[in-house]
């Protein structure tokens, strides 16, 4: 690594920390329905939306109603997107005359974008019309992120609620998240990216003659507007097939920096929002710190394994498949960031990472996408781990465990386990099925442990609603499209529903005031404990599978064998 | 039932427990413990495989060894529960012997009738004379008697039981020492206090507590996660075999998979969980406290606020005279003399303390009063003073002692005057929490008797311990706020409730609960019953009324109010032990992975050396794959037995901040839990090599 690499990483980490309170306090105001700097602009449209959809702002919902509203909303989004994809041939804004998408790819894609996963088993430039990209995918990029934020807000209301069953109004939460947070940030980022050269047009694809005299077709389209939300809303679905490795999607080092930073922007800032809403900034920072440490460990191990060249390999740099314009550091920074944040956009092929940094990418997702994680989703995910940590550790101080004054009892533990179990079932069971049947194995590109990693990665990415691909696996088959779609649904709603149930249960409890005997959840000891629980629970679950995939891959590479 | 130190190795209990371990293999009993139930199913499956092997002539000694150790794991878990129950039963035995064949003299229509105690019903009236065993729980409705309650309290000093008031409750199995009492039975046979105690201690009526249920859910959830990790392993393994060019016949066998599963699921805490719960009850019992449910003990660990009666708990029962302060122009002897005279017939503890102080300080002794024609004036609520009228040389002297206000009006009525300096001094004393008692003769104020509440020795330290535990103490007293504040400061309680009436206690408890706090309280009187029932942890004194005992969820047989502190400690210890062993159990898995994964993957991706690539993970250097798996599963079984003493004794509790205890327990059970199995498995592996 060179000095330039260090500067980039430190600048990235510095801005991540510095922007957290700024955006965090703004989001707290928005989500609490307080007046904020954008109220003069969006106040009127906001009330207009409520009038149109007939929502009473003050009508608060219990957890069941909140969950039903959320499911209905997501189902409607799914059906609309599915309809657009299978009928795009006859719809406007289709200069390249793209055909209709086949049913299983359309199903997979619709689930993928509704669940904030953005797993893509299609290639944007050869499969989708501008209309599908804009009204279908970009709209879901906003709404799926807003859904995650809404669940988080409901959970926070459950934590701070005092013997109530009200968690707020889903329609209001989703409107505010979209209108005040995602939309303005996306506009700013889109303009900045367009300034760097990311394209934004409705042109036909350009046909050019290359220097060798061949003809090449260069795709066009409204990319900047979609890329902004793809990064900010932890979606990750690229406009083009190669995602942010495509020069029209990510043209300059500055656009690269902006994009990688905006992946973590909202998830990190939400920890501050969390602190603000539970009325203890220290609690927010404690969560931030746990995420930060886990992120830093992953980044360090990945960078180390990429730069620590083996003599066996004549000290070469592992450049194959990396982002050659911006270097290995930026590839690894991106691969770590995109996997911790359940984003899934890439600027390098994860298949080409060293086995260890590929494993880190996988572990980041296996741990439940809680290291910053998806917009809203990462934070409500880590609260699940906090509940487990508090339960085990709280016992060790001799009290019925409590978190922020709420007692953690059988119901919360049961729901927390369901939330942890749901993605694990997808990762292990679905991968095991794919490993044993021909339609699973025939999609493999590489053999040996690396092939196992490819399968494991695909279902891990689906379960964590990440959406990045290891590469090398042909996922555009009926088997993978359906299995991954199912995996994404379980990984998303198998967590959201228990989280809302926990919110509902916590809201009904009394708040035990803080005393000397209270087990502290805002100090370094707790942060360390939380990190250990995340690593141990995640690690113990996946260690056998990982040892047969990336770990053995790594050992073999050290012995000079590659796959 | 004085605390009997049944040692862990008591032979009788041990033999009984071993027998019971086998009885508990009954699936109906096993299923109550999901983790151990999984082990039992695994053991059953491997047994079938071994038996099939014998028939097919493919007998594998490795498989049969795994089978044996799996069954041993189940038996060890059963044994831990059995031994905890056995110790409880031993405690209960001593209670049972007291009830042997008691006869009751029942009163029916004025006729006495002899019936067996077990045929008594609620509301029967029975008679007990000196020497009789009281046949069942009841209330004294007539008479007064001394009763030997050592059978339940272990306290040999007899107690007084009388009709009416707060000392009317008698307990079945105790013995009347003197006099005759008529008792109304308050509970049906089989449902008396002692019956319930026996049932609880024996564990027969034991229900899982809320925290135990939550923990069982956690353990089941973890087991499901590990089950998932193990059942998917053959698929990944099969893929890897194919990738290494090996035949699928080399895939993992069922016994190996079961061994891996059993090593990973939290069998340590799963096996010891009920033993921890039972022994919590047992430990309370050793402190002579009976809890009516395990839930109550758990709640005790959570108590945020303790309500304590001042009298008897914080102070030594009654106020005592500590000083005579003469008014100007009066000698100390003079006031002491008058004070003593006025108190001679005063049978209240305060009155007696005045007489004692006069004797101690000025050697004024009892004297003949007949020649003085003394007429004692008892204390009444109207006059609020007491005293004596004596005649000396034909002249009547009126000596009075009482509160400032009462004496002032007495003096003014006699055309006297109340000196300002006495009033100032009296106010000063009141401000210090003392009770100034003014002594006057006719129209002259002689001075002040300094009556003081004596705070129990060591109580301040206990309260500061409680504060460290995060528990707020509230003193309840009928005193005025000024006095209460001074005593509160001296005793070091956090808060007080002055001029408290029973309904004030109830209100205070509700108020604290509304704020989300858990309230513990100790009470004895009938008027405490509502507050005891309302509080989350209500400890009734054994000496208290039946109503109070029914209302509380624990009974303190020693009737020692500071016991609440120990109860809180036992409650905390219970939760800590569960947390510590859960942490230990989960931390153990790290080492087991490092033993088993390299062992099972020994053939995969083998290089030129013939050793599988994953052998690099065999950091313990275990000798062979079979030995590695066996060592892990043997360690897993043995650790249950090694930890039984800890489960029964409980993790040591210290009054300190939660962060400190967490840190300490994490180091011992978290780090210890990671390191111990590495050492243990390696040692077992080395031993296996010898044989």
């Amino acid at each position: 690594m060179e000095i330039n690499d260090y500067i980039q990483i430190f600048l990235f980490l510095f801005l991540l920390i510095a922007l957290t309170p700024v955006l965090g306090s703004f989001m707290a105001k928005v989500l609490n329905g307080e007046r904020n700097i954008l109220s003069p602009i969006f106040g009127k449209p906001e009330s207009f939306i409520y009038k149109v959809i007939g929502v009473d702002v003050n009508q608060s919902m219990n957890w069941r109603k909140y969950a039903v509203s959320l499911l209905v909303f997501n189902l409607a989004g799914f059906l609309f997107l599915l309809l657009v994809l299978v009928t795009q041939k006859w719809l406007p804004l289709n200069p390249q005359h793209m055909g209709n998408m086949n049913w299983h790819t359309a199903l997979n894609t619709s689930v993928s974008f509704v669940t904030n996963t953005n797993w893509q088993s299609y290639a944007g430039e050869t499969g989708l019309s501008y209309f599908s990209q804009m009204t279908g995918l970009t709209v879901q990029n906003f709404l799926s992120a807003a859904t995650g934020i809404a669940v988080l807000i409901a959970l926070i209301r459950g934590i701070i609620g005092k013997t109530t069953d009200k968690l707020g109004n889903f329609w209001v939460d989703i409107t505010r998240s979209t209108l005040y947070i995602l939309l303005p940030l996306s506009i700013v980022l889109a303009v900045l990216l367009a300034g760097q050269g990311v394209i934004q047009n409705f042109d036909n694809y350009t046909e050019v003659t290359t220097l060798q005299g061949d003809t090449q077709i260069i795709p066009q389209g409204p990319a900047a507007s979609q890329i902004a939300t793809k990064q900010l809303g932890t979606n990750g679905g690229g406009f083009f097939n190669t995602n942010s490795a495509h020069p029209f999607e990510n043209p300059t080092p500055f656009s690269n920096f902006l994009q990688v930073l905006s992946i973590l922007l909202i998830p990190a800032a939400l920890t501050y929002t969390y602190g603000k809403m539970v009325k203890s900034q220290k609690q927010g920072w404690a969560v931030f710190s746990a995420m930060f440490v886990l992120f830093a460990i992953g980044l360090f191990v990945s960078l180390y394994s990429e730069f620590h060249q083996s003599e066996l390999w004549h000290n070469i740099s592992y450049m194959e498949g990396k982002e050659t314009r911006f270097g290995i550091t930026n590839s690894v920074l991106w691969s770590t960031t995109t996997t911790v944040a359940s984003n899934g956009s890439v600027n390098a092929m994860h298949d080409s990472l060293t086995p260890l940094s590929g494993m880190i990418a996988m572990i980041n997702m296996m741990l439940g996408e809680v290291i910053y994680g998806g917009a809203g989703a990462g934070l409500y995910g880590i609260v699940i781990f906090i509940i487990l940590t508090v339960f085990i550790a709280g016992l060790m101080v001799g009290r019925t465990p409590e978190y922020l004054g709420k007692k953690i009892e059988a119901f919360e533990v049961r729901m927390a386990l369901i939330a942890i179990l749901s993605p694990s079932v997808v990762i292990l069971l679905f991968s095991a099925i794919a490993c044993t049947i021909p339609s699973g194995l025939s999609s493999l590109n590489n053999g040996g442990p690396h092939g196992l990693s490819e399968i494991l990665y695909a279902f891990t990415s689906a379960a964590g609603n990440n959406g990045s691909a290891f590469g090398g696996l042909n996922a555009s088959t009926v088997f993978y499209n359906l299995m991954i779609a199912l995996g994404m649904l379980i990984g998303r709603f198998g967590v959201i529903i228990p989280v809302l149930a926990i919110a509902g249960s916590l809201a009904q409890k009394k708040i035990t005031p803080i005393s000397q005997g209270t087990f502290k959840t805002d100090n370094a000891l707790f942060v360390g404990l939380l990190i250990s629980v995340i690593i141990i629970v995640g690690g113990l679950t996946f260690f056998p599978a990982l040892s047969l995939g990336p770990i053995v891959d790594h050992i073999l590479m050290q012995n000079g064998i590659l796959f | 039932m004085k605390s009997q130190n049944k040692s862990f190795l008591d032979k009788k209990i041990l033999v009984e427990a071993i027998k019971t371990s086998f009885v508990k293999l009954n699936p109906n009993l096993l299923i109550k413990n999901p983790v151990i139930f999984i082990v039992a199913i695994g053991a059953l499956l491997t047994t079938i495989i071994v038996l099939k092997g014998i028939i097919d002539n493919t007998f594998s000694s490795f498989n049969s060894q795994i089978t044996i150790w799996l069954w041993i794991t189940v038996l060890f878990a059963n044994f831990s529960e059995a031994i905890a129950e056995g110790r409880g039963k031993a405690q209960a035995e001593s209670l049972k012997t007291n009830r042997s064949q008691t006869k009751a003299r029942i009163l029916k229509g004025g006729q006495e009738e002899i019936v067996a105690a077990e045929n008594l019903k609620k509301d029967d009236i029975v008679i007990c004379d000196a020497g009789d065993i009281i046949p069942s729980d009841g209330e004294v409705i007539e008479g007064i008697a001394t009763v030997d309650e050592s059978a339940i309290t272990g306290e040999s000093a007899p107690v007084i039981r009388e009709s009416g008031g707060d000392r009317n409750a008698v307990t079945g199995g105790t013995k009347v020492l003197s006099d005759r009492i008529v008792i109304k039975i308050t509970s049906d046979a089989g449902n008396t206090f002692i019956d319930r105690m026996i049932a609880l201690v024996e564990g027969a009526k034991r229900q899982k507590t809320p925290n135990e249920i939550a923990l069982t859910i956690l353990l089941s959830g973890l087991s499901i996660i590990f089950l998932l990790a193990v059942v998917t392993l053959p698929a990944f393994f099969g893929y890897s075999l194919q990738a290494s060019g090996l035949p699928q016949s080399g895939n993992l066998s069922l016994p190996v998979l079961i061994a891996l599963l059993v090593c990973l699921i939290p069998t340590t805490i799963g096996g010891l969980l009920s033993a921890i719960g039972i022994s919590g009850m047992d430990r309370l019992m050793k402190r002579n406290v009976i809890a009516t449910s395990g839930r109550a003990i758990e709640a005790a660990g959570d108590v945020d606020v303790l309500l304590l009666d001042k009298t008897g708990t914080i102070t030594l029962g009654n106020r005592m005279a500590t000083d005579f302060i003469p008014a100007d122009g009066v000698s100390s002897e003079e006031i002491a003399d008058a004070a003593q005279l006025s108190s001679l017939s005063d049978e209240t503890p305060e009155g007696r303390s005045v007489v004692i102080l006069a004797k101690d300080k000025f050697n004024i002794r009892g004297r003949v009063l007949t020649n003085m024609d003394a007429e004692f004036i008892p204390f009444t609520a109207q006059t609020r003073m007491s005293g004596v009228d004596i005649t000396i040389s034909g002249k009547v002297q009126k000596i009075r002692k009482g509160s400032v206000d009462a004496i002032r009006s007495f003096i003014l009525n006699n055309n006297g005057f109340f000196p300002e300096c006495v009033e100032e001094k009296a106010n000063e004393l009141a401000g210090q929490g003392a009770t100034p008692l003014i002594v006057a003769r006719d129209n002259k104020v002689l001075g002040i008797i300094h009556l003081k509440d004596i705070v129990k020795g060591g109580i301040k330290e206990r309260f500061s311990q409680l504060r460290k535990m995060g528990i707020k103490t509230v003193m309840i007293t009928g005193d005025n706020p000024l006095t209460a504040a001074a005593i509160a400061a001296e005793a070091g309680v956090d808060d007080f409730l002055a001029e408290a009436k029973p309904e004030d206690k109830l209100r205070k408890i509700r108020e604290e609960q509304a704020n989300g706090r858990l309230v513990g309280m100790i009470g004895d009187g009938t008027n405490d019953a509502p507050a005891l029932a309302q509080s989350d942890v209500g400890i009734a004194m054994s000496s208290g009324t039946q109503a109070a005992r029914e209302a509380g969820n624990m009974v303190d047989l020693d009737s020692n109010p500071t016991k609440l502190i120990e109860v809180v400690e036992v409650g905390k210890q219970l939760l800590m032990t569960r947390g510590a062993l859960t942490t230990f159990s989960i931390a153990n898995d790290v080492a087991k992975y490092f033993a088993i994964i390299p062992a099972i993957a020994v053939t995969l991706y083998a290089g030129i050396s013939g050793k599988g690539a994953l052998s690099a993970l065999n950091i313990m250097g275990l000798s062979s794959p079979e030995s590695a798996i066996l060592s892990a599963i043997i360690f897993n079984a043995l650790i249950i037995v090694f930890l039984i003493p800890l489960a029964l004794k409980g993790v040591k509790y210290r009054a300190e901040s939660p962060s400190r205890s967490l840190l300490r327990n994490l180091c011992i059970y978290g780090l210890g839990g990671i390191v111990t199995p590495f050492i243990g498995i390696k040692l077992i592996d080395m031993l296996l090599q010898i044989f």
Side-chain angles (χ1 to χ4, degrees), chain B residues 239-291:
Chain B
Y239 170 91
S240 308
L241 282 172
Q242 199 185 8
S244 321
L246 295 166
Q248 286 298 320
S249 59
N251 209 328
L252 302 170
S253 71
L254 194 57
V256 167
L257 287 173
I258 290 171
L260 176 62
L261 177 66
V262 169
C263 281
L264 294 180
I265 59 176
T267 47
T268 316
I269 176 69
L272 295 171
L273 191 56
S274 45
I276 296 171
I278 298 167
S279 67
M281 199 125 353
D282 197 44
R283 281 202 298 279
L284 264 190
M285 189 98 175
K286 285 220 171 92
R287 290 171 167 84
N288 271 348
V289 177
I290 307 285

Side-chain angles (χ1 to χ4, degrees), chain A residues 138 186-187 189-195 197-201 221-231 239-240 248-249 259:
Chain A
T138 309
S186 298
I187 292 172
L189 185 64
V191 170
L192 281 173
L193 289 176
V198 178
I199 58 167
Q200 177 77 10
N201 60 45
S225 59
Q226 188 178 333
I227 290 158
T229 54
K230 139 195 153 186
Q231 299 302 87
F239 191 85
F240 302 111
F248 279 179
E249 194 152 340
Q259 289 188 23

